[in-house]
PDB file of all heavy atoms in Angstrom:
ATOM      1  N   TYR A   7      93.525 102.226 102.381  1.00  0.00           N
ATOM      2  CA  TYR A   7      92.102 102.042 102.669  1.00  0.00           C
ATOM      3  C   TYR A   7      91.525 103.351 103.203  1.00  0.00           C
ATOM      4  O   TYR A   7      92.180 104.066 103.959  1.00  0.00           O
ATOM      5  CB  TYR A   7      91.901 100.984 103.769  1.00  0.00           C
ATOM      6  CG  TYR A   7      92.554  99.674 103.480  1.00  0.00           C
ATOM      7  CD1 TYR A   7      93.904  99.470 103.764  1.00  0.00           C
ATOM      8  CD2 TYR A   7      91.835  98.630 102.922  1.00  0.00           C
ATOM      9  CE1 TYR A   7      94.513  98.251 103.498  1.00  0.00           C
ATOM     10  CE2 TYR A   7      92.438  97.407 102.662  1.00  0.00           C
ATOM     11  CZ  TYR A   7      93.778  97.228 102.948  1.00  0.00           C
ATOM     12  OH  TYR A   7      94.377  96.023 102.690  1.00  0.00           O
ATOM     13  N   TYR A   8      90.283 103.619 102.825  1.00  0.00           N
ATOM     14  CA  TYR A   8      89.562 104.689 103.504  1.00  0.00           C
ATOM     15  C   TYR A   8      89.167 104.128 104.865  1.00  0.00           C
ATOM     16  O   TYR A   8      89.171 102.912 105.088  1.00  0.00           O
ATOM     17  CB  TYR A   8      88.334 105.119 102.708  1.00  0.00           C
ATOM     18  CG  TYR A   8      88.706 105.979 101.530  1.00  0.00           C
ATOM     19  CD1 TYR A   8      88.815 105.441 100.258  1.00  0.00           C
ATOM     20  CD2 TYR A   8      88.971 107.324 101.704  1.00  0.00           C
ATOM     21  CE1 TYR A   8      89.172 106.225  99.178  1.00  0.00           C
ATOM     22  CE2 TYR A   8      89.333 108.125 100.629  1.00  0.00           C
ATOM     23  CZ  TYR A   8      89.429 107.566  99.371  1.00  0.00           C
ATOM     24  OH  TYR A   8      89.799 108.345  98.315  1.00  0.00           O
ATOM     25  N   PHE A   9      88.820 104.999 105.781  1.00  0.00           N
ATOM     26  CA  PHE A   9      88.449 104.556 107.116  1.00  0.00           C
ATOM     27  C   PHE A   9      87.503 105.566 107.743  1.00  0.00           C
ATOM     28  O   PHE A   9      87.348 106.681 107.248  1.00  0.00           O
ATOM     29  CB  PHE A   9      89.695 104.370 107.987  1.00  0.00           C
ATOM     30  CG  PHE A   9      90.522 105.618 108.184  1.00  0.00           C
ATOM     31  CD1 PHE A   9      90.426 106.362 109.346  1.00  0.00           C
ATOM     32  CD2 PHE A   9      91.405 106.053 107.202  1.00  0.00           C
ATOM     33  CE1 PHE A   9      91.204 107.513 109.528  1.00  0.00           C
ATOM     34  CE2 PHE A   9      92.186 107.190 107.374  1.00  0.00           C
ATOM     35  CZ  PHE A   9      92.082 107.923 108.544  1.00  0.00           C
ATOM     36  N   THR A  10      86.861 105.142 108.808  1.00  0.00           N
ATOM     37  CA  THR A  10      85.999 106.039 109.567  1.00  0.00           C
ATOM     38  C   THR A  10      86.482 106.080 111.008  1.00  0.00           C
ATOM     39  O   THR A  10      87.190 105.179 111.462  1.00  0.00           O
ATOM     40  CB  THR A  10      84.529 105.580 109.543  1.00  0.00           C
ATOM     41  OG1 THR A  10      84.432 104.281 110.116  1.00  0.00           O
ATOM     42  CG2 THR A  10      83.976 105.568 108.124  1.00  0.00           C
ATOM     43  N   PHE A  11      86.108 107.137 111.695  1.00  0.00           N
ATOM     44  CA  PHE A  11      86.384 107.228 113.124  1.00  0.00           C
ATOM     45  C   PHE A  11      85.285 108.058 113.772  1.00  0.00           C
ATOM     46  O   PHE A  11      84.537 108.770 113.092  1.00  0.00           O
ATOM     47  CB  PHE A  11      87.769 107.829 113.408  1.00  0.00           C
ATOM     48  CG  PHE A  11      87.896 109.278 113.023  1.00  0.00           C
ATOM     49  CD1 PHE A  11      87.680 110.281 113.959  1.00  0.00           C
ATOM     50  CD2 PHE A  11      88.244 109.647 111.734  1.00  0.00           C
ATOM     51  CE1 PHE A  11      87.805 111.615 113.613  1.00  0.00           C
ATOM     52  CE2 PHE A  11      88.379 110.976 111.384  1.00  0.00           C
ATOM     53  CZ  PHE A  11      88.155 111.967 112.325  1.00  0.00           C
ATOM     54  N   CYS A  12      85.190 107.981 115.072  1.00  0.00           N
ATOM     55  CA  CYS A  12      84.178 108.725 115.809  1.00  0.00           C
ATOM     56  C   CYS A  12      84.740 110.079 116.232  1.00  0.00           C
ATOM     57  O   CYS A  12      85.739 110.144 116.939  1.00  0.00           O
ATOM     58  CB  CYS A  12      83.736 107.931 117.031  1.00  0.00           C
ATOM     59  SG  CYS A  12      82.502 108.796 118.014  1.00  0.00           S
ATOM     60  N   ASP A  13      84.110 111.143 115.774  1.00  0.00           N
ATOM     61  CA  ASP A  13      84.477 112.495 116.200  1.00  0.00           C
ATOM     62  C   ASP A  13      83.699 112.764 117.482  1.00  0.00           C
ATOM     63  O   ASP A  13      82.501 113.057 117.451  1.00  0.00           O
ATOM     64  CB  ASP A  13      84.118 113.511 115.116  1.00  0.00           C
ATOM     65  CG  ASP A  13      84.545 114.921 115.483  1.00  0.00           C
ATOM     66  OD1 ASP A  13      84.593 115.257 116.691  1.00  0.00           O
ATOM     67  OD2 ASP A  13      84.813 115.711 114.559  1.00  0.00           O
ATOM     68  N   GLU A  18      79.653 112.257 115.826  1.00  0.00           N
ATOM     69  CA  GLU A  18      79.312 111.623 114.558  1.00  0.00           C
ATOM     70  C   GLU A  18      80.489 110.852 113.992  1.00  0.00           C
ATOM     71  O   GLU A  18      81.622 111.047 114.393  1.00  0.00           O
ATOM     72  CB  GLU A  18      78.832 112.657 113.546  1.00  0.00           C
ATOM     73  CG  GLU A  18      79.855 113.718 113.204  1.00  0.00           C
ATOM     74  CD  GLU A  18      79.305 114.834 112.325  1.00  0.00           C
ATOM     75  OE1 GLU A  18      78.161 115.244 112.510  1.00  0.00           O
ATOM     76  OE2 GLU A  18      80.064 115.295 111.449  1.00  0.00           O
ATOM     77  N   THR A  19      80.183 109.982 113.036  1.00  0.00           N
ATOM     78  CA  THR A  19      81.204 109.205 112.356  1.00  0.00           C
ATOM     79  C   THR A  19      81.718 110.010 111.167  1.00  0.00           C
ATOM     80  O   THR A  19      80.940 110.574 110.413  1.00  0.00           O
ATOM     81  CB  THR A  19      80.632 107.860 111.886  1.00  0.00           C
ATOM     82  OG1 THR A  19      80.181 107.145 113.039  1.00  0.00           O
ATOM     83  CG2 THR A  19      81.680 107.032 111.165  1.00  0.00           C
ATOM     84  N   VAL A  20      83.041 110.038 111.020  1.00  0.00           N
ATOM     85  CA  VAL A  20      83.694 110.835 109.986  1.00  0.00           C
ATOM     86  C   VAL A  20      84.544 109.928 109.103  1.00  0.00           C
ATOM     87  O   VAL A  20      85.153 108.980 109.590  1.00  0.00           O
ATOM     88  CB  VAL A  20      84.598 111.910 110.640  1.00  0.00           C
ATOM     89  CG1 VAL A  20      85.339 112.720 109.593  1.00  0.00           C
ATOM     90  CG2 VAL A  20      83.781 112.806 111.541  1.00  0.00           C
ATOM     91  N   ARG A  21      84.589 110.239 107.796  1.00  0.00           N
ATOM     92  CA  ARG A  21      85.488 109.536 106.873  1.00  0.00           C
ATOM     93  C   ARG A  21      86.438 110.563 106.278  1.00  0.00           C
ATOM     94  O   ARG A  21      86.034 111.429 105.507  1.00  0.00           O
ATOM     95  CB  ARG A  21      84.715 108.850 105.753  1.00  0.00           C
ATOM     96  CG  ARG A  21      85.647 107.964 104.901  1.00  0.00           C
ATOM     97  CD  ARG A  21      84.960 107.411 103.721  1.00  0.00           C
ATOM     98  NE  ARG A  21      85.490 108.108 102.555  1.00  0.00           N
ATOM     99  CZ  ARG A  21      85.240 107.796 101.307  1.00  0.00           C
ATOM    100  NH1 ARG A  21      84.395 106.836 101.023  1.00  0.00           N
ATOM    101  NH2 ARG A  21      85.777 108.468 100.329  1.00  0.00           N
ATOM    102  N   PRO A  22      87.733 110.512 106.646  1.00  0.00           N
ATOM    103  CA  PRO A  22      88.710 111.442 106.080  1.00  0.00           C
ATOM    104  C   PRO A  22      88.813 111.301 104.564  1.00  0.00           C
ATOM    105  O   PRO A  22      88.485 110.253 103.995  1.00  0.00           O
ATOM    106  CB  PRO A  22      90.030 111.035 106.744  1.00  0.00           C
ATOM    107  CG  PRO A  22      89.611 110.345 107.998  1.00  0.00           C
ATOM    108  CD  PRO A  22      88.336 109.637 107.639  1.00  0.00           C
ATOM    109  N   ARG A  23      89.305 112.341 103.913  1.00  0.00           N
ATOM    110  CA  ARG A  23      89.439 112.335 102.449  1.00  0.00           C
ATOM    111  C   ARG A  23      90.609 111.499 101.966  1.00  0.00           C
ATOM    112  O   ARG A  23      90.622 111.046 100.827  1.00  0.00           O
ATOM    113  CB  ARG A  23      89.620 113.759 101.939  1.00  0.00           C
ATOM    114  CG  ARG A  23      88.391 114.584 102.107  1.00  0.00           C
ATOM    115  CD  ARG A  23      88.596 115.953 101.544  1.00  0.00           C
ATOM    116  NE  ARG A  23      87.404 116.744 101.783  1.00  0.00           N
ATOM    117  CZ  ARG A  23      87.231 117.966 101.371  1.00  0.00           C
ATOM    118  NH1 ARG A  23      88.185 118.567 100.691  1.00  0.00           N
ATOM    119  NH2 ARG A  23      86.137 118.612 101.635  1.00  0.00           N
ATOM    120  N   ARG A  24      91.636 111.341 102.815  1.00  0.00           N
ATOM    121  CA  ARG A  24      92.838 110.622 102.399  1.00  0.00           C
ATOM    122  C   ARG A  24      92.893 109.233 103.022  1.00  0.00           C
ATOM    123  O   ARG A  24      92.871 109.085 104.230  1.00  0.00           O
ATOM    124  CB  ARG A  24      94.082 111.411 102.809  1.00  0.00           C
ATOM    125  CG  ARG A  24      94.210 112.726 102.046  1.00  0.00           C
ATOM    126  CD  ARG A  24      95.382 113.547 102.532  1.00  0.00           C
ATOM    127  NE  ARG A  24      96.606 112.794 102.460  1.00  0.00           N
ATOM    128  CZ  ARG A  24      97.626 112.966 103.292  1.00  0.00           C
ATOM    129  NH1 ARG A  24      97.572 113.856 104.248  1.00  0.00           N
ATOM    130  NH2 ARG A  24      98.708 112.256 103.156  1.00  0.00           N
ATOM    131  N   PRO A  25      92.991 108.189 102.187  1.00  0.00           N
ATOM    132  CA  PRO A  25      93.148 106.839 102.718  1.00  0.00           C
ATOM    133  C   PRO A  25      94.571 106.615 103.213  1.00  0.00           C
ATOM    134  O   PRO A  25      95.487 107.384 102.895  1.00  0.00           O
ATOM    135  CB  PRO A  25      92.836 105.954 101.510  1.00  0.00           C
ATOM    136  CG  PRO A  25      93.236 106.781 100.333  1.00  0.00           C
ATOM    137  CD  PRO A  25      92.955 108.208 100.724  1.00  0.00           C
ATOM    138  N   ILE A  31      96.648 103.845 109.696  1.00  0.00           N
ATOM    139  CA  ILE A  31      95.331 104.015 110.305  1.00  0.00           C
ATOM    140  C   ILE A  31      95.373 103.613 111.773  1.00  0.00           C
ATOM    141  O   ILE A  31      94.844 104.313 112.633  1.00  0.00           O
ATOM    142  CB  ILE A  31      94.268 103.204 109.531  1.00  0.00           C
ATOM    143  CG1 ILE A  31      94.093 103.786 108.126  1.00  0.00           C
ATOM    144  CG2 ILE A  31      92.950 103.169 110.281  1.00  0.00           C
ATOM    145  CD1 ILE A  31      93.297 102.901 107.181  1.00  0.00           C
ATOM    146  N   ALA A  32      96.029 102.496 112.067  1.00  0.00           N
ATOM    147  CA  ALA A  32      96.119 102.019 113.451  1.00  0.00           C
ATOM    148  C   ALA A  32      96.861 103.006 114.351  1.00  0.00           C
ATOM    149  O   ALA A  32      96.549 103.125 115.530  1.00  0.00           O
ATOM    150  CB  ALA A  32      96.803 100.659 113.486  1.00  0.00           C
ATOM    151  N   THR A  34      96.749 106.228 114.243  1.00  0.00           N
ATOM    152  CA  THR A  34      96.073 107.516 114.409  1.00  0.00           C
ATOM    153  C   THR A  34      95.571 107.744 115.824  1.00  0.00           C
ATOM    154  O   THR A  34      95.385 108.871 116.238  1.00  0.00           O
ATOM    155  CB  THR A  34      94.869 107.661 113.453  1.00  0.00           C
ATOM    156  OG1 THR A  34      93.903 106.669 113.769  1.00  0.00           O
ATOM    157  CG2 THR A  34      95.299 107.604 112.008  1.00  0.00           C
ATOM    158  N   MET A  36      92.695 107.523 116.926  1.00  0.00           N
ATOM    159  CA  MET A  36      91.366 108.122 116.937  1.00  0.00           C
ATOM    160  C   MET A  36      90.378 107.133 117.542  1.00  0.00           C
ATOM    161  O   MET A  36      90.597 105.933 117.497  1.00  0.00           O
ATOM    162  CB  MET A  36      90.934 108.491 115.515  1.00  0.00           C
ATOM    163  CG  MET A  36      91.766 109.573 114.899  1.00  0.00           C
ATOM    164  SD  MET A  36      91.242 109.870 113.209  1.00  0.00           S
ATOM    165  CE  MET A  36      92.528 110.941 112.634  1.00  0.00           C
ATOM    166  N   ALA A  37      89.291 107.649 118.080  1.00  0.00           N
ATOM    167  CA  ALA A  37      88.284 106.796 118.706  1.00  0.00           C
ATOM    168  C   ALA A  37      87.530 105.992 117.650  1.00  0.00           C
ATOM    169  O   ALA A  37      87.124 106.524 116.623  1.00  0.00           O
ATOM    170  CB  ALA A  37      87.306 107.650 119.500  1.00  0.00           C
ATOM    171  N   SER A  38      87.364 104.717 117.923  1.00  0.00           N
ATOM    172  CA  SER A  38      86.572 103.822 117.074  1.00  0.00           C
ATOM    173  C   SER A  38      86.986 103.840 115.608  1.00  0.00           C
ATOM    174  O   SER A  38      86.146 103.965 114.709  1.00  0.00           O
ATOM    175  CB  SER A  38      85.078 104.161 117.189  1.00  0.00           C
ATOM    176  OG  SER A  38      84.664 104.087 118.525  1.00  0.00           O
ATOM    177  N   VAL A  39      88.275 103.716 115.344  1.00  0.00           N
ATOM    178  CA  VAL A  39      88.765 103.676 113.970  1.00  0.00           C
ATOM    179  C   VAL A  39      88.322 102.376 113.305  1.00  0.00           C
ATOM    180  O   VAL A  39      88.456 101.302 113.876  1.00  0.00           O
ATOM    181  CB  VAL A  39      90.306 103.794 113.928  1.00  0.00           C
ATOM    182  CG1 VAL A  39      90.825 103.592 112.527  1.00  0.00           C
ATOM    183  CG2 VAL A  39      90.742 105.134 114.452  1.00  0.00           C
ATOM    184  N   ASN A  40      87.805 102.497 112.080  1.00  0.00           N
ATOM    185  CA  ASN A  40      87.300 101.349 111.357  1.00  0.00           C
ATOM    186  C   ASN A  40      87.764 101.404 109.905  1.00  0.00           C
ATOM    187  O   ASN A  40      87.211 102.165 109.112  1.00  0.00           O
ATOM    188  CB  ASN A  40      85.761 101.333 111.419  1.00  0.00           C
ATOM    189  CG  ASN A  40      85.168 100.163 110.694  1.00  0.00           C
ATOM    190  OD1 ASN A  40      85.719  99.067 110.686  1.00  0.00           O
ATOM    191  ND2 ASN A  40      84.033 100.377 110.063  1.00  0.00           N
ATOM    192  N   PRO A  41      88.794 100.612 109.534  1.00  0.00           N
ATOM    193  CA  PRO A  41      89.216 100.577 108.133  1.00  0.00           C
ATOM    194  C   PRO A  41      88.094  99.983 107.276  1.00  0.00           C
ATOM    195  O   PRO A  41      87.448  99.018 107.672  1.00  0.00           O
ATOM    196  CB  PRO A  41      90.431  99.660 108.127  1.00  0.00           C
ATOM    197  CG  PRO A  41      90.780  99.409 109.533  1.00  0.00           C
ATOM    198  CD  PRO A  41      89.594  99.747 110.369  1.00  0.00           C
ATOM    199  N   LEU A  42      87.861 100.573 106.127  1.00  0.00           N
ATOM    200  CA  LEU A  42      86.837 100.086 105.206  1.00  0.00           C
ATOM    201  C   LEU A  42      87.528  99.188 104.175  1.00  0.00           C
ATOM    202  O   LEU A  42      87.996  99.648 103.134  1.00  0.00           O
ATOM    203  CB  LEU A  42      86.130 101.266 104.542  1.00  0.00           C
ATOM    204  CG  LEU A  42      85.503 102.270 105.520  1.00  0.00           C
ATOM    205  CD1 LEU A  42      84.990 103.495 104.788  1.00  0.00           C
ATOM    206  CD2 LEU A  42      84.420 101.613 106.346  1.00  0.00           C
ATOM    207  N   ILE A  43      87.596  97.914 104.494  1.00  0.00           N
ATOM    208  CA  ILE A  43      88.372  96.943 103.719  1.00  0.00           C
ATOM    209  C   ILE A  43      87.942  96.907 102.249  1.00  0.00           C
ATOM    210  O   ILE A  43      88.776  96.732 101.364  1.00  0.00           O
ATOM    211  CB  ILE A  43      88.283  95.547 104.367  1.00  0.00           C
ATOM    212  CG1 ILE A  43      88.818  95.589 105.812  1.00  0.00           C
ATOM    213  CG2 ILE A  43      89.043  94.511 103.546  1.00  0.00           C
ATOM    214  CD1 ILE A  43      90.246  96.095 105.954  1.00  0.00           C
ATOM    215  N   THR A  45      87.372  99.233 100.349  1.00  0.00           N
ATOM    216  CA  THR A  45      87.906 100.375  99.598  1.00  0.00           C
ATOM    217  C   THR A  45      89.382 100.205  99.256  1.00  0.00           C
ATOM    218  O   THR A  45      90.021 101.162  98.813  1.00  0.00           O
ATOM    219  CB  THR A  45      87.721 101.691 100.384  1.00  0.00           C
ATOM    220  OG1 THR A  45      88.525 101.648 101.577  1.00  0.00           O
ATOM    221  CG2 THR A  45      86.260 101.926 100.740  1.00  0.00           C
TER     222      THR A  45
END
Side-chain angles (χ1 to χ4, degrees):
Y7 306 83
Y8 283 98
F9 60 100
T10 60
F11 67 94
C12 179
D13 183 330
E18 61 187 38
T19 300
V20 178
R21 188 187 108 172
R23 292 182 183 183
R24 293 176 56 211
I31 294 168
T34 63
M36 294 177 190
S38 303
V39 173
N40 180 36
L42 304 172
I43 301 303
T45 66

